[in-house]
Amino acid sequence: MKQILVVEDEQRVAELLKRGLEECGYQVTVAFDGEMGGRLIRSASYDLVISDVILPKMNGFELTKLIRQTQPEVPILMLTALGTTDDKLDGFDAGADDYMVKPFDFRELTARIKVLLKRKQGIPQEVVPDTLTYDDLVLNTATKTVTRAGQEIRLTPKEFNLLEYMMQHPERVLSRAEIAEKVWDTHFDTGTNFIDVYINYLRKKIDRDFHVKLIHTKPGMGFIFKSEA
C-alpha cells in the first residue's frame, strides 16, 4: 500500500483528501502545518507528498526544499489557491514535481498521483555522461555547473534540467508537450505559459551576452537547441 503524506492546514480539505485517497487504496498521514510535515518526513518514508503552499509555521516552498534534502526522490504535488505563473515557477524551483490549483477535480488529482508514482517506481533512466558540450557551452551533470566560453552561468534547478534535456537532444525541435513530459514529468496542461517563461530565463542567461545564439523558437512547433548567429 502506497504511503502518502498530506500537509494541509484546512481541516475540511485535509479530511476530504484523506478519505478520498484511502478509498482509492492509499495509506494517508495528515499534517496540519509545515513544521509537523517536516518532522514526519524526517521520521518516516513516503511514496508521495501532497502539500499546500500557504501553511502555518513553515510554508510549502520551505517544506519542499526540506523534503528534497531528506527524501530527494519522493514526488511532491503542490496544492494551492495561488494560480499565477510566478507562483508555479516558485513551486517548481523549490523542487515540486507537479502543481494543482484549488478548487480541483479529485479525479484529476488521482490521475496525477498515478503518474508521479509510476515515475518513482524505477523506470529506467537514460544514461547521461557527466559532461555535455555543445559549441562553447559545457554542462556538468555531476557538479550541476554550467559554463559558456569559460564563464560560469548560475541556473535554478529547473533551468538546469531544461537546459540538460535540450543539450541531450540538440538540433531537433522539442514541442512544449515533450518538454512538459520529460522535464516536468507531467502529461497535463498546467494552465500557464511556464515553459515559455523558463525558455526566456535560459535565453537571458545562456544567449544574451553572446553573438552565437543556441536557443531558438520554432513558431507553432516548439523550440530547438542549435548554434546560429
Side-chain angles (χ1 to χ4, degrees):
M1 185 177 291
K2 298 295 184 182
Q3 305 281 335
I4 295 179
L5 172 63
V6 172
V7 189
E8 170 60 69
D9 63 318
E10 294 184 46
Q11 186 170 350
R12 183 184 63 85
V13 176
E15 290 175 352
L16 288 172
L17 285 170
K18 179 176 173 62
R19 187 183 310 120
L21 292 172
E22 286 179 343
E23 288 176 357
C24 292
Y26 301 110
Q27 186 166 332
V28 181
T29 303
V30 176
F32 294 103
D33 62 64
E35 286 188 359
M36 182 179 178
R39 289 195 298 272
L40 288 170
I41 207 72
R42 290 189 188 98
S43 62
S45 295
Y46 295 95
D47 296 291
L48 183 133
V49 176
I50 299 174
S51 175
D52 196 359
V53 169
I54 302 175
L55 294 168
K57 300 182 181 179
M58 178 190 297
N59 68 41
F61 299 143
E62 295 169 328
L63 177 61
T64 296
K65 292 177 181 177
L66 173 64
I67 294 170
R68 283 289 164 257
Q69 295 171 3
T70 55
Q71 295 191 35
E73 299 303 319
V74 65
I76 302 171
L77 173 60
M78 302 198 86
L79 300 177
T80 182
L82 306 175
T84 69
T85 297
D86 286 343
D87 293 322
K88 295 187 179 184
L89 296 179
D90 288 341
F92 286 132
D93 283 341
D97 297 280
D98 204 352
Y99 202 112
M100 289 188 69
V101 178
K102 299 176 182 177
F104 53 86
D105 187 304
F106 191 79
R107 292 170 299 179
E108 182 177 354
L109 173 66
T110 56
R112 295 199 188 195
I113 288 172
K114 289 177 181 177
V115 170
L116 292 172
L117 290 175
K118 182 178 179 182
R119 189 202 69 184
K120 184 178 182 288
Q121 285 173 355
I123 299 172
Q125 299 293 314
E126 180 181 355
V127 177
V128 179
D130 284 346
T131 302
L132 298 173
T133 304
Y134 188 94
D135 201 274
D136 57 353
L137 183 70
V138 179
L139 180 149
N140 190 299
T141 59
T143 61
K144 303 298 183 183
T145 56
V146 176
T147 60
R148 183 163 186 190
Q151 175 183 331
E152 183 176 359
I153 298 171
R154 296 186 178 276
L155 302 178
T156 67
K158 280 300 181 185
E159 290 169 354
F160 185 92
N161 292 344
L162 175 57
L163 179 62
E164 180 181 4
Y165 188 75
M166 297 186 83
M167 291 184 71
Q168 290 170 5
H169 303 87
E171 301 175 10
R172 178 170 75 79
V173 175
L174 305 174
S175 69
R176 288 170 178 80
E178 178 180 349
I179 292 171
E181 178 183 350
K182 301 300 184 181
V183 180
W184 273 267
D185 298 298
T186 177
H187 300 266
F188 301 91
D189 180 7
T190 62
T192 71
N193 62 337
F194 73 94
I195 292 176
D196 298 76
V197 172
Y198 269 102
I199 289 289
N200 287 334
Y201 287 167
L202 272 184
R203 279 202 180 104
K204 289 178 182 178
K205 295 181 178 182
I206 299 298
D207 283 341
R208 182 173 59 185
D209 298 329
F210 298 90
H211 176 66
V212 174
K213 309 303 180 186
L214 298 176
I215 301 172
H216 308 273
T217 300
K218 289 292 184 181
M221 294 184 286
F223 307 96
I224 188 168
F225 189 85
K226 67 176 182 177
S227 179
E228 188 174 291

